[in-house]
Amino acid sequence: MSPIRVALCDDHAVVRSGLRLILENASDVEVVGEVGTSVEAVELAAAQQPDVFLVDLTLGDDSGIDTTRRIREVAPETQVLVLTMHDDVEYLRGAFGAGAAGYLVKEAASVELLLAVRAVAAGQGYVHPRLGAALLADNPAAAEPDATPQRPCRDLSPREVEVLRLLAAGHTNAEVATKLFLSPRTIETHRLRIQQKLGLRTRAELLRYARNEGIE
């Protein structure tokens, strides 16, 4: 299987180096370029047509939202994953309105970056769990209208219900793992199994399900 081709745009070289290190340690990811400005990002997207482009929301020469829009214009098949310090639903809405496929808060990047990259590369979309919970609390209709679970909650094991409850409360995989004395990888496995059992595709759908079932 071909690796996921990823490009980076952040105006801080140290941040880019850290992100690149995480990505290059994954056997299924290939970093095809990194830049520090919006203009360079659009040029790189047009030249490389990466599968995923990581874009900082705040760039020195332009906003990440405008950059996302222009990347999508020159590389329609490229999925943009926004990386940001802004833990704010309004920024999230702006990013998705510009065509972003995912939104990840930088403080969680060390744990969730690869998960997010793989998700958006597969066309699933990705939202940092805490923001996803906030978005649904503010607007429950934000999730996909066809995301109705196919199976009832009783199909879940007690442990899976516990994991779902913590995720629905806005905790990251790492935070859930700490609370349950498990590894983040185990929590991610539980989450994927829960989605499979319930017939759900994304974290947003999972959070909507939990809200509808009163699992909070």
Side-chain angles (χ1 to χ4, degrees):
M1 181 180 296
S2 300
I4 302 169
R5 301 174 66 254
V6 179
L8 310 171
C9 179
D10 193 293
D11 56 359
H12 294 91
V14 173
V15 174
R16 294 201 307 272
S17 296
L19 295 172
R20 184 166 196 141
L21 181 62
I22 295 172
L23 294 168
E24 290 183 336
N25 281 333
S27 61
D28 60 337
V29 175
E30 175 189 1
V31 178
V32 297
E34 63 174 78
V35 293
T37 69
S38 176
V39 171
E40 292 172 327
V42 176
E43 292 174 350
L44 180 59
Q48 290 289 343
Q49 299 288 313
D51 299 312
V52 178
F53 210 130
L54 306 183
V55 177
D56 184 20
L57 190 62
T58 307
L59 298 170
D61 62 333
D62 206 346
S63 75
I65 290 177
D66 288 338
T67 304
T68 295
R69 187 175 293 109
R70 286 197 289 274
I71 288 174
R72 295 285 292 164
E73 289 173 355
V74 302
E77 300 302 315
T78 295
Q79 303 300 314
V80 177
L81 173 60
V82 170
L83 287 165
T84 179
M85 298 297 295
H86 298 291
D87 188 353
D88 189 293
V89 171
E90 290 306 315
Y91 284 110
L92 169 64
R93 288 199 184 97
F96 277 90
Y103 192 98
L104 180 62
V105 178
K106 284 184 177 178
E107 68 183 39
S110 61
V111 175
E112 301 201 17
L113 178 60
L114 290 173
L115 297 175
V117 166
R118 288 167 182 149
V120 299
Q124 298 175 351
Y126 188 92
V127 178
H128 182 63
R130 186 166 62 249
L131 277 172
L135 180 63
L136 291 177
D138 185 52
N139 179 18
E144 294 86 347
D146 61 348
T148 304
Q150 301 299 308
R151 298 181 179 85
C153 184
R154 63 175 176 270
D155 285 354
L156 303 181
S157 69
R159 172 65 83 186
E160 288 167 344
V161 172
E162 190 173 22
V163 169
L164 177 55
R165 186 180 71 252
L166 291 170
L167 290 174
H171 295 293
T172 65
N173 285 359
E175 291 168 343
V176 176
T178 298
K179 289 178 178 294
L180 300 182
F181 302 99
L182 298 170
S183 72
R185 184 180 296 275
T186 298
I187 298 303
E188 177 63 10
T189 299
H190 278 307
R191 183 183 68 82
L192 293 174
R193 188 175 295 126
I194 292 168
Q195 288 181 198
Q196 183 178 30
K197 284 185 176 182
L198 298 176
L200 304 175
R201 297 171 297 169
T202 67
R203 279 177 180 261
E205 292 176 1
L206 193 65
L207 292 171
R208 185 188 185 195
Y209 173 84
R211 180 181 176 84
N212 290 341
E213 292 293 317
I215 305 174
E216 296 180 278

